[in-house]
Structures are given as C-alpha cells and as structure tokens.
Amino acid sequence: KCSCECSVERPSIAEMQLPSAVLSPSQSSAGPTDPAMHDDAPAAGSPASTTQGQRFVQWHPQQATLPTTADTQYAQTVDELASRGFTLGALLEFLCLLLERDVMPHFDPDASTTDEVAWCAAVPSSEHGPYARIMTGGKRCYPKCLITHTWGNVFCHTVAAAVADAMEKQYFFHLIPQLRTVRRVRQLMQKIASLPRNRLVQKTYWFCALSINQHTVCCQVMRVCDHGHMLKRGSSEGEACRGNGCSEAIKAGDFVLKCDICSITLCRDCVGKARQVCTCDVAKHPAGNDLCEVDKFDDMMVRLQGVHADFYQTVALDKGGGALKRTWVVAEIAQAQRDKLLQKIETCIPIRLAKAN
C-alpha cells in the first residue's frame, strides 16, 4: 500500500513478472520511416541514460531528418514545442510505470487525475525538461494527432481516449478496465500490435501534460503533502489546519491547500512551508515571452499541419463533459476549425453526434 496507508495497493509479483517487451525490435520498427521524426540535432531537455528512459527504448519513434525553418526565437520555440510528440506505445509504457507505483506510490487508475500525474510523477522524473523527451530518448517527434483534454480528467480515461482513437473507436468506456493493471495494459498492447494496422503502437500524439516543459512554467509553485500527494487549491469550510503541527482554526472561505487523499487542510501560513514538487532553477517564461510554451498552441498547430497534411485533433471528453467548459480546450477546438483540421471526439460512452448538412 501507499505509505500513507490509503487504499491504493501496489501490483502483485504476478502482475510485475511480464515480458520485457511486447514487440520484438523488428516488429516495432517495421514499416516506412516517418520523415517527421528525426534526431539531426540535440533536443532541449534530452535526458541522460536513466532507468525510466530505458523503458521507452522499444517505443521510440522512427527517425529521419526534417529541416527546421525557424529563424526567430519565437519560431524556434514553436518548432521545439511541436517536436515533442511520442508514440502510443510510449504512452502505455508510462502508464505501466505509474501502475507499478514506484514513481507515484499513490497512483489510482480510477481516480488519479492528469493534474496529479503531471506534478507527482512526470515533473519530478523529467530531469528539468519535458517528459516527452524521456519517452523518445531525447529525439524530436512531430506527432500526427493533438489530444485536447482537461487536466481534471482521470488520467487513465485520457489514455483510453488515445487508444480508442488509434483503434478508430468513437468511445472508450470498454478500454478503461484494460488500463487498471500492468498485465492488462501489456495484453492490450499485444492486442493492438496484432491488429492488421500493426503500427498503431507507433502512432504519434501530442499531450500537453507530457509535451510542455513544465519546469519553464510554474513547477516551483506546486506543493505536495508529507506523503507526496498533490495539494489542491480550495476554500476553507471552517476546519482546523493540520500542517506542520499546526492546529489553527481556519476561517470559512479562506484560501487553503487540501490533500484529498490524506483529508488534511493547510492554512495560509502552512501553505508556504509545504514541500515543493520541484526546486529547480530553470528560468520561468510568462505569457508574451518568446520562450513561453503555454501561449503558442495556435502556431504550434499550424506548424504541425505544415509537417503532416493529415494532422488532426482528438478531443478526449471526460464523463461529465467538463472539458468543453475549459478555456484552453475551447481555444484549441476553435483553432482547429480555423485551420480546417480533421476533428474527432472521443466520449466515454457511445453518443449520437449531430451530422453536418
């Protein structure tokens, strides 16, 4: 179990004793080389040789050369951002890492959100760069699909949406149970690899939680409790603080940080003393800066459309439809429409969608 004695359990030995590879190197590299994946120059955030990095070797994208046309710092940032795709196989391998619960001991496939996975697993493991670079071995990869999602959605549900997209399904509820244990994920990977379109594990995606270098955004702001669980912003309901030996009564409505797993609340004074997710000294770049990575999605989408004529967008819709209320989601959908991209929507359960006249 997790160190805080919550209900999350680690996989059994039987779950862990699996083949080191689902596909042989010859199977995983079969097919024509994709010109949108290359290693002609070192990529920013390229990882050193690590245990995690070795896990992704068989899922590295095919490599070729692709010249960059960036001639300004702004254009270079856009191109760098666009080159941080990864394969479906790498995404499922990352999920296996989470399910083994060494990287994130409290990971719960039915509850842990993308927000929690990003700050409690990806950022601490990403060596001051985007985690996508670890997934590709430091190589650049210009993906064919942008996954538009909300960070508040269950992470496994967003992964299920990506798998459904690769399998050309319009819903993903039936895939969720197959993502709950390492063994089931491996079996799903074998199933995908055995389909007639046997290169589906090499299908490439862009997913902001893993593709953006969060160390240049706000990694030092995020906090975790003593057990490593993410602290979330909220308002006090009049409870007492339980941080660092403090028991001060908190006025109802005051700003607080809460740990939903440990059921603790930190008062304003204790918030600043909570453990930071990251203490790196990587420079942070606000919106409007040429190096900022969170205000260039529209230009990044244009760049990827220039690389792949068939570049498209998939909207991973959570069960409550909350994604459609998020500003960034709506902005990405609108930009895709302006660019006349193919757009798909992945829902949890089958729904009848209106057809255009």
Side-chain angles (χ1 to χ4, degrees):
K1 289 189 176 182
C2 175
S3 58
C4 70
E5 297 301 316
C6 64
S7 59
V8 176
E9 295 187 357
R10 291 176 178 269
S12 65
I13 297 298
E15 291 283 354
M16 300 286 288
Q17 291 177 338
L18 295 163
S20 60
V22 174
L23 298 176
S24 68
S26 60
Q27 286 176 305
S28 63
S29 61
T33 299
D34 190 334
M37 304 167 188
H38 67 100
D39 59 346
D40 56 330
S46 298
S49 176
T50 63
T51 301
Q52 281 192 44
Q54 292 301 314
R55 291 282 295 265
F56 297 105
V57 170
Q58 64 180 318
W59 309 119
H60 287 177
Q62 301 305 302
Q63 300 168 15
T65 58
L66 183 67
T68 178
T69 57
D71 56 359
T72 65
Q73 182 60 70
Y74 185 97
Q76 289 174 12
T77 302
V78 171
D79 186 69
E80 168 67 21
L81 196 59
S83 71
R84 294 188 190 149
F86 47 81
T87 64
L88 178 63
L91 180 60
L92 291 171
E93 189 67 46
F94 177 60
L95 178 57
C96 286
L97 274 170
L98 294 173
L99 289 167
E100 290 167 12
R101 298 193 176 89
D102 289 323
V103 174
M104 184 176 172
H106 57 283
F107 177 72
D108 183 344
D110 292 317
S112 294
T113 63
T114 298
D115 202 18
E116 294 169 323
V117 168
W119 297 115
C120 295
V123 170
S125 304
S126 59
E127 301 181 354
H128 301 172
Y131 195 82
R133 287 288 186 245
I134 291 180
M135 299 167 77
T136 63
K139 306 298 189 297
R140 293 172 179 265
C141 169
Y142 293 83
K144 288 192 174 182
C145 178
L146 167 70
I147 297 290
T148 294
H149 65 105
T150 173
W151 282 47
N153 193 18
V154 175
F155 180 74
C156 275
H157 291 193
T158 302
V159 174
V163 175
D165 171 78
M167 299 177 72
E168 298 183 355
K169 303 293 184 182
Q170 295 181 333
Y171 50 86
F172 56 84
F173 78 94
H174 61 299
L175 296 170
I176 294 174
Q178 300 178 61
L179 301 177
R180 287 184 175 136
T181 69
V182 175
R183 180 173 294 279
R184 291 180 186 179
V185 175
R186 296 291 187 203
Q187 291 172 342
L188 177 61
M189 295 166 85
Q190 291 176 332
K191 177 182 178 181
I192 294 173
S194 67
L195 294 175
R197 304 179 303 280
N198 65 354
R199 295 189 74 244
L200 290 185
V201 287
Q202 280 287 326
K203 192 162 186 177
T204 50
Y205 292 91
W206 196 97
F207 183 28
C208 66
L210 302 175
S211 299
I212 289 177
N213 184 0
Q214 307 298 342
H215 295 280
T216 68
V217 184
C218 60
C219 63
Q220 82 288 359
V221 174
M222 308 310 295
R223 310 275 174 161
V224 293
C225 74
D226 292 341
H227 295 295
H229 307 147
M230 181 178 171
L231 294 172
K232 300 180 180 180
R233 295 181 178 88
S235 297
S236 170
E237 299 176 358
E239 66 268 53
C241 175
R242 292 179 57 193
N244 300 306
C246 177
S247 59
E248 179 180 345
I250 307 173
K251 183 179 179 181
D254 278 2
F255 166 79
V256 294
L257 288 184
K258 297 184 176 183
C259 175
D260 295 334
I261 298 176
C262 297
S263 299
I264 64 170
T265 301
L266 302 184
C267 67
R268 187 179 296 271
D269 290 337
C270 291
V271 164
K273 301 175 185 177
R275 180 157 59 93
Q276 294 173 284
V277 166
C278 180
T279 58
C280 73
D281 57 0
V282 175
K284 309 300 186 266
H285 305 297
N289 188 297
D290 284 351
L291 292 171
C292 179
E293 297 185 1
V294 296
D295 62 351
K296 298 175 175 60
F297 289 175
D298 50 351
D299 291 316
M300 182 198 74
M301 293 168 70
V302 172
R303 169 62 175 148
L304 287 171
Q305 189 177 21
V307 175
H308 300 291
D310 55 351
F311 172 69
Y312 67 99
Q313 175 192 45
T314 290
V315 180
L317 192 62
D318 53 294
K319 289 193 294 185
L324 298 179
K325 301 177 183 178
R326 306 299 298 177
T327 301
W328 286 111
V329 171
V330 175
E332 289 178 14
I333 292 174
Q335 183 63 41
Q337 291 180 344
R338 284 192 292 268
D339 296 338
K340 295 181 171 54
L341 295 181
L342 171 65
Q343 292 176 292
K344 300 180 181 180
I345 185 168
E346 293 290 348
T347 60
C348 185
I349 58 175
I351 61 174
R352 186 180 296 278
L353 300 176
K355 294 183 178 180
N357 294 327

